[in-house]
Amino acid sequence: MDPAAAAADSEVAITHRTVDANGLRMHVAEAGPPGAPAVLLLHGFPQVWYAWCHQMRALAAAGYRAVAPDLRGYGDSDAPAGEPGAEQYTAMHVVGDLLALLDAVVGQGKPVFVVAHDWGALTAWNMCLFRPDRVRALVALSVPFTPRSPARRPVDGLRALYGDDYYICRIQEPGAIEAEFKRLGTELVLRKFLAYRTPGPLMMPKSGWGSPDDEVPLPSWITEEDIKYYASKFDNTGFTGGLNYYRALNKTWELTAPWTGAEIKVPAKFIVGDLDLTYHTPGIQDFIHKGGFKKYVPLLDDVVVMKGVGHFINEEKPEEVSEHIISFISKFSKEM
């Protein structure tokens, strides 16, 4: 981030509080005027609210109220009580958390703008599917909406496509990948994820995802301070909460059968980097650019492909992403 932008950012305060929502205590970071149009920001894996620092300040400076929670099982939000089972991390659970959080923070039943990345984007699409009345417009980063296939469970499809060493498949066995991450160390695991820029599938061989002595240089857009903040949160919680979202994929597929073939009836914008591994899933570019995406998201306003940009797009290109967000949601702000 350039010094001038950083200085402007520093003038906007980010506050923190804990809110009771859906049986959990959820941590939420906020910036901007309390009465302004609210923008809910949803992080992905392996991150927390902190991924949105740049956008929160930009939104607040533009007159919006940014609301960025730690999702269930992440950071300073609770994990579900009892055994850490993945079945408590379905889309129904996570969307339920967010609706209750919004009722407490923004107001009962009020619609908001949603901006979401990675797992946050997948959650946001489901929020639009289940409760379109609560989403004024969506900006999704990295992960497009993909319709539910009635023929095959998602993890089964990924295993058939990539094999057992594909990272989502490796995550499925409770405890196994946690042990591998412990062997490597929290900070190195985060470095490996955040520095990944290969436009193709991420593999984690059972023989090991490298050595604890691996040196992974950080990309220019992330600092040692950033890594240490993330590491402090995952050292405290472990990775199981975040990993359980992947483990709940097949359960969510079972529960969402009634929405097979349903369209997203919310105005949307999609932004992705051309080096993002998600953008190189077989068939996804044809789906995005040749009518499939628009068929299922008829109010899709725009698709932006950012050249030379990887997966963690909101941190790699903070100013550009913030500008895209604000220019899009400003079209609807006067209606709120």
Side-chain angles (χ1 to χ4, degrees):
M1 192 171 192
D2 68 70
D9 266 2
S10 66
E11 296 173 5
V12 176
I14 294 177
T15 61
H16 299 265
R17 58 172 159 153
T18 303
V19 175
D20 290 319
N22 200 24
L24 303 176
R25 295 280 288 165
M26 293 189 70
H27 166 254
V28 60
E30 298 169 271
V39 183
L40 177 67
L41 299 130
L42 304 179
H43 68 82
F45 179 87
Q47 299 186 293
V48 290
W49 74 272
Y50 185 85
W52 296 110
C53 281
H54 301 297
Q55 285 73 36
M56 292 183 74
R57 293 183 172 114
L59 285 162
Y64 294 93
R65 181 184 181 192
V67 177
D70 291 337
L71 299 180
R72 71 162 50 200
Y74 280 98
D76 295 320
S77 288
D78 285 349
E83 291 297 315
E87 291 198 352
Q88 296 183 76
Y89 287 82
T90 70
M92 307 314 202
H93 291 90
V94 184
V95 171
D97 295 345
L98 296 174
L99 295 174
L101 177 80
L102 291 174
D103 284 346
V105 172
V106 178
Q108 188 79 30
K110 288 188 177 180
V112 298
F113 296 112
V114 180
V115 178
H117 173 252
D118 185 77
W119 259 105
L122 192 58
T123 298
W125 289 119
N126 281 316
M127 187 173 172
C128 293
L129 203 58
F130 304 156
R131 292 297 303 273
D133 59 305
R134 300 300 299 273
V135 184
R136 186 66 198 88
L138 167 66
V139 179
L141 311 180
S142 295
V143 178
F145 176 75
T146 50
R148 180 185 183 275
S149 168
R152 178 182 277 178
R153 300 187 304 175
V155 177
D156 300 348
L158 292 169
R159 183 169 281 114
L161 187 61
Y162 295 121
D164 291 337
D165 284 348
Y166 183 56
Y167 79 108
I168 292 176
C169 300
R170 285 278 282 120
I171 285 168
Q172 296 305 308
E173 182 185 348
I177 208 70
E178 285 93 333
E180 175 66 358
F181 287 178
K182 184 177 181 180
R183 182 183 72 85
L184 294 170
T186 301
E187 188 171 317
L188 179 57
V189 168
L190 291 168
R191 284 174 176 268
K192 282 176 172 280
F193 275 114
L194 295 171
Y196 189 82
R197 294 179 68 79
T198 303
L202 173 58
M203 298 296 184
M204 293 182 179
K206 290 185 179 179
S207 58
W209 195 31
S211 162
D213 298 322
D214 288 346
E215 293 188 7
V216 180
L218 292 177
S220 60
W221 49 267
I222 192 165
T223 68
E224 292 289 343
E225 181 184 359
D226 296 333
I227 282 285
K228 291 190 183 306
Y229 183 86
Y230 284 127
S232 72
K233 296 304 176 184
F234 284 99
D235 277 337
N236 185 48
T237 63
F239 286 96
T240 297
L243 296 171
N244 277 342
Y245 287 71
Y246 296 94
R247 293 169 181 154
L249 273 167
N250 282 350
K251 187 62 178 179
T252 288
W253 176 86
E254 293 175 15
L255 295 172
T256 52
W259 286 272
T260 301
E263 296 176 355
I264 299 290
K265 298 294 182 68
V266 169
K269 182 171 186 170
F270 179 65
I271 309 172
V272 67
D274 69 345
L275 298 180
D276 194 325
L277 73 168
T278 64
Y279 192 58
H280 294 271
T281 303
I284 198 67
Q285 292 184 31
D286 281 350
F287 176 79
I288 290 171
H289 299 293
K290 295 185 177 180
F293 196 9
K294 182 74 171 178
K295 175 184 176 183
Y296 285 97
V297 188
L299 299 180
L300 180 66
D301 181 84
D302 193 15
V303 171
V304 178
V305 180
M306 299 181 72
K307 301 298 183 183
V309 181
H311 181 64
F312 297 96
I313 190 168
N314 50 309
E315 290 175 288
E316 184 173 351
K317 294 293 181 182
E319 291 86 7
E320 293 93 326
V321 169
S322 295
E323 288 169 8
H324 279 299
I325 292 167
I326 292 166
S327 69
F328 180 62
I329 66 175
S330 66
K331 299 178 183 181
F332 310 94
S333 299
K334 293 178 182 179
E335 302 172 17
M336 297 186 72

